[in-house]
């Protein structure tokens, strides 16, 4: 319900909230972050409704895992009977995050700002939506990092080799130039190798990368330095500002990537490489309403959300320090 009162207050002074004199009534500047990255690496088909989480507290799903034939006697088939392992594995998604929203206003305040009360309502609704979205992103990326398979992270990653260094909190990869450091591109190449060993990549890639703006700009500078699209200067990353895919991966940046401050003052940042088909980030703003109760007006709402990695095999994590 909206309130757009016709009467004008004679004096705006002392009114908290939105104070906009007549001569700039139509100017409202937003400083909110208005871009979403979590949606880029999540499967849009996994909504609260499609998963049935609007009717039940838990959604169950099934994953088909690869199975091996194994070894026969003397590495030759000698008439043995193969009994395949069970390829089915079950999982579940639970919506654990639930936020109630409540903000109180006085009807006298709404009357005092007259027609500008509609701008107050619109502003609150828009900024609440962005704030909740940003909350989901920060939480979602932490959940994705924590649910990556153990062989797709750490200093001894690799399902087969166990010797791929993807970095860790105690021993992160140093991104830069000089002894003991590697480029951002080389770090992604290591993650690609780990995912290959996990059987995720078979010649084509649906994988996407999410990193901090710092890591993103390092990649862009490296592309420009190696002559990316020098035949067409407008496509050079340092001119166009557009980062080209790396190893076929689309790369995105987010301000809400997990990070950890070390005692030496450096900050470890996480970089996610994931298959979006296997990530669910269902969310629902169940309601957001304006209610009048006696002399007060309330903005009330409820927001529920969560993020789950359906297959940790499909996610690799780099732990890096930008040097």
């Amino acid at each position: 319900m909206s309130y757009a009162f016709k009467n004008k207050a004679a004096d705006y002074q002392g009114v908290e909230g939105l104070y906009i004199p007549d001569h700039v009534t139509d100017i409202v500047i937003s400083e909110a972050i208005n871009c979403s990255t979590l949606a880029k690496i999540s499967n849009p088909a996994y909504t609260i409704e499609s998963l049935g989480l609007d009717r039940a507290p838990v959604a169950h799903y099934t994953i088909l895992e690869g199975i091996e034939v194994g070894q026969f006697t003397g590495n030759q088939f000698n008439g043995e009977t193969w009994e395949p392992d069970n390829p089915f594995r079950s999982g579940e998604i639970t919506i654990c995050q639930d936020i109630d929203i409540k903000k109180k206003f006085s009807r006298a305040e709404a009357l005092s700002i007259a027609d500008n009360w509609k701008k107050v309502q619109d502003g609150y609704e828009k900024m609440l939506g962005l704030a909740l979205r940003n909350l989901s992103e920060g939480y979602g990326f932490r959940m994705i990092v924590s649910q990556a398979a153990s062989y797709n992270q750490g200093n001894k990653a690799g399902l087969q080799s166990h010797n791929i260094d993807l970095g860790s909190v105690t021993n992160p990869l140093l991104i830069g130039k000089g002894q003991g450091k590697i480029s951002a591109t080389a770090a992604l190449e290591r993650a690609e190798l780990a995912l290959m060993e996990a059987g995720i990549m078979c010649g084509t890639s649906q994988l996407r990368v999410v990193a901090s703006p710092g890591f993103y700009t390092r990649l862009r500078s490296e592309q420009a330095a190696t002559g990316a699209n020098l035949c067409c200067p407008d496509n050079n990353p340092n001119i166009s500002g557009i980062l080209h895919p790396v190893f076929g991966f689309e790369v995105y940046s987010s301000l809400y990537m997990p990070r950890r401050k070390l005692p030496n003052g450096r900050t470890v940042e996480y970089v996610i490489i994931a298959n979006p088909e296997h990530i669910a980030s269902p969310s629902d703003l169940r309601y957001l309403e304006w209610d009048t109760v006696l002399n007060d007006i309330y903005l009330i709402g409820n927001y529920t959300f969560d993020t789950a990695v359906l297959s940790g095999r499909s996610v690799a994590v780099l732990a890096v320090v930008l040097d």
Side-chain angles (χ1 to χ4, degrees), residues 11-20 103-106 108-113 116-117 120 124:
D11 184 7
Y12 286 94
Q13 293 195 18
V15 178
E16 295 182 0
L18 186 67
Y19 165 47
I20 306 180
K103 173 68 176 179
K104 178 182 176 182
F105 304 84
S106 72
E109 178 183 354
L111 285 165
S112 69
I113 59 177
N116 284 324
W117 173 242
V120 172
Y124 267 93

Side-chain angles (χ1 to χ4, degrees), residues 282-293:
S283 63
D284 186 22
L285 183 58
R286 291 176 172 172
Y287 60 89
L288 188 66
E289 303 171 353
W290 295 87
D291 285 349
T292 302
V293 180

